[in-house]
């Protein structure tokens, strides 16, 4: 599982130089960027076979991750009806996303564990094996990736497919008519947009993810050769209200 390169400062193009240099576009050429909230929960893989939830694990990089199938069956149910009824040809489907504790359930979670300080730390408490099904039921799953043999043309198409399957996806927006010359300004505008949208948003976030919307172009950009295990076609913007030196 690849990580995502993080941007902690965005003043000029040098702060996103690797992303900029990998863009497969000429100067003045127009392209689309896909932006989404970076939910701050626990990364999870959920695998369906024939539409039935077979296994869910925490998303370890060097390890297989912890089996949390029983928790996700409470959160998502034993089967995905759309996969069962409409996509029987998709034998194995892997969904990646985050298990999160919605702000609306934070007070209820504290009735089980008064030491929960934030919606983020509440996930660990609610997701433990010894927690009750009622505690597991306070959690939600937000999906952002689908591996099923379908070659999605765009990241936007992938989100639409996840929503068709009944999954919640992060708040997202496609910004069109972007060029390399306007890249920094475009990103800063979108961070400001998401900051406004965070008023009343139901999940705790720790940044904004930006990705080249076209999967063909995203794959063309490849992976980093500087020692980082990450793709060059997306970034986690931790600036503005998500600036990391604001964290305690």
């Amino acid at each position: 599982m690849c990580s995502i390169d993080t941007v902690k400062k965005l003043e000029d193009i040098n702060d996103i130089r690797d992303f900029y240099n990998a863009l497969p576009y000429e100067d003045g050429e127009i392209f689309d960027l896909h932006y989404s909230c970076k939910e701050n929960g626990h990364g999870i893989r959920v695998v369906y076979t024939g539409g039935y939830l077979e296994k869910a694990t925490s998303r370890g990089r060097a390890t297989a991750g912890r089996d949390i199938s029983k928790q996700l069956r409470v959160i998502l149910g034993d089967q995905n009806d759309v996969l069962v009824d409409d996509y029987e040809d998709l034998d194995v489907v892997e969904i990646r996303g985050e298990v999160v504790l919605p702000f609306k359930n934070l007070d209820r979670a504290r009735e089980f564990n008064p030491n929960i300080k934030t919606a983020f730390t509440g996930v660990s408490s609610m997701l433990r094996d010894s927690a009750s099904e009622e505690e597991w039921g306070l959690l939600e799953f937000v999906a952002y990736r689908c591996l099923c043999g379908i070659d999605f043309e765009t990241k936007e198409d992938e989100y639409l497919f996840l929503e068709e399957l009944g999954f919640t996806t992060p708040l997202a927006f496609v910004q069109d008519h972007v060029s390399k010359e306007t890249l920094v300004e475009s990103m800063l505008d979108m961070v400001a947009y998401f900051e406004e949208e965070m008023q009343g948003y139901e999940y705790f976030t720790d940044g904004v993810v930006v990705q080249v919307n076209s999967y063909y172009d995203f794959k063309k950009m490849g992976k980093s050769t500087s020692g980082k295990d990450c793709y060059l076609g997306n970034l986690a913007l931790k600036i503005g209200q998500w600036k990391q030196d604001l964290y305690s």
Side-chain angles (χ1 to χ4, degrees):
M1 178 65 189
C2 288
S3 59
I4 184 168
D5 201 11
T6 298
V7 175
K8 300 179 183 179
K9 176 172 69 78
L10 185 53
E11 296 177 354
D12 56 48
I13 207 67
N14 290 313
D15 296 320
I16 51 171
R17 177 60 63 181
D18 290 345
F19 178 87
Y20 177 86
N21 287 340
L23 287 170
Y25 310 113
E26 300 294 333
D27 290 346
E29 191 173 354
I30 300 301
F31 54 93
D32 298 346
L33 294 177
H34 182 278
Y35 291 82
S36 61
C37 285
K38 187 175 183 296
E39 317 294 6
N40 196 4
H42 281 215
I44 302 295
R45 286 186 173 103
V46 184
V47 176
Y48 291 87
T49 302
Y52 293 87
L53 198 159
E54 179 178 323
K55 191 170 186 179
T57 59
S58 59
R59 200 176 56 245
R61 291 195 176 93
T63 64
R66 181 168 68 95
D67 190 325
I68 50 174
S69 301
K70 59 185 179 180
Q71 289 93 322
L72 267 294
R73 288 193 176 97
V74 170
I75 297 170
L76 293 174
D78 292 322
Q79 69 181 53
N80 183 286
D81 292 338
V82 179
L83 285 175
V84 171
D85 296 337
D86 300 333
Y87 292 98
E88 62 274 4
D89 56 322
L90 296 179
D91 184 28
V92 178
V93 176
E94 179 181 323
I95 308 295
R96 296 180 182 176
E98 300 278 325
V99 168
V100 293
L101 177 64
F103 290 128
K104 64 184 179 183
N105 292 341
L106 185 54
D107 288 341
R108 180 73 179 117
R110 286 171 174 154
E111 294 178 16
F112 293 96
N113 181 358
N115 294 320
I116 291 175
K117 290 181 169 52
T118 67
F120 172 69
T121 59
V123 177
S124 297
S125 177
M126 299 291 105
L127 201 59
R128 69 193 192 283
D129 290 338
S130 59
S132 65
E133 290 194 6
E134 189 175 359
E135 290 173 87
W136 297 340
L138 295 176
L139 299 171
E140 294 182 7
F141 179 73
V142 181
Y144 56 73
R145 190 81 171 91
C146 179
L147 303 174
C148 61
I150 296 177
D151 288 326
F152 299 104
E153 288 189 10
T154 66
K155 187 65 179 177
E156 181 182 22
D157 290 340
E158 186 175 29
Y159 269 39
L160 290 173
F161 182 71
L162 288 167
E163 291 165 8
E164 181 186 348
L165 297 182
F167 292 102
T168 298
T169 57
L171 174 69
F173 187 87
V174 175
Q175 186 183 44
D176 57 11
H177 290 86
V178 181
S179 68
K180 295 175 75 172
E181 291 82 0
T182 64
L183 191 57
V184 171
E185 181 183 356
S186 298
M187 288 185 176
L188 292 174
D189 285 346
M190 288 307 304
V191 168
Y193 167 80
F194 275 88
E195 285 180 323
E196 290 184 8
E197 293 298 312
M198 287 302 96
Q199 304 300 320
Y201 192 59
E202 58 187 327
Y203 304 124
F204 182 58
T205 65
D206 65 344
V208 176
V209 176
V210 56
Q211 175 173 324
V212 173
N213 194 33
S214 165
Y215 259 121
Y216 176 79
D217 292 338
F218 175 84
K219 293 173 183 176
K220 190 187 297 185
M221 293 173 72
K223 297 178 70 174
S224 174
T225 58
S226 62
K228 300 177 183 177
D229 185 22
C230 61
Y231 290 101
L232 292 171
N234 57 13
L235 297 168
L237 304 177
K238 296 193 176 185
I239 58 177
Q241 74 175 48
W242 299 281
K243 190 174 181 180
Q244 290 191 318
D245 62 7
L246 298 178
Y247 292 5
S248 60

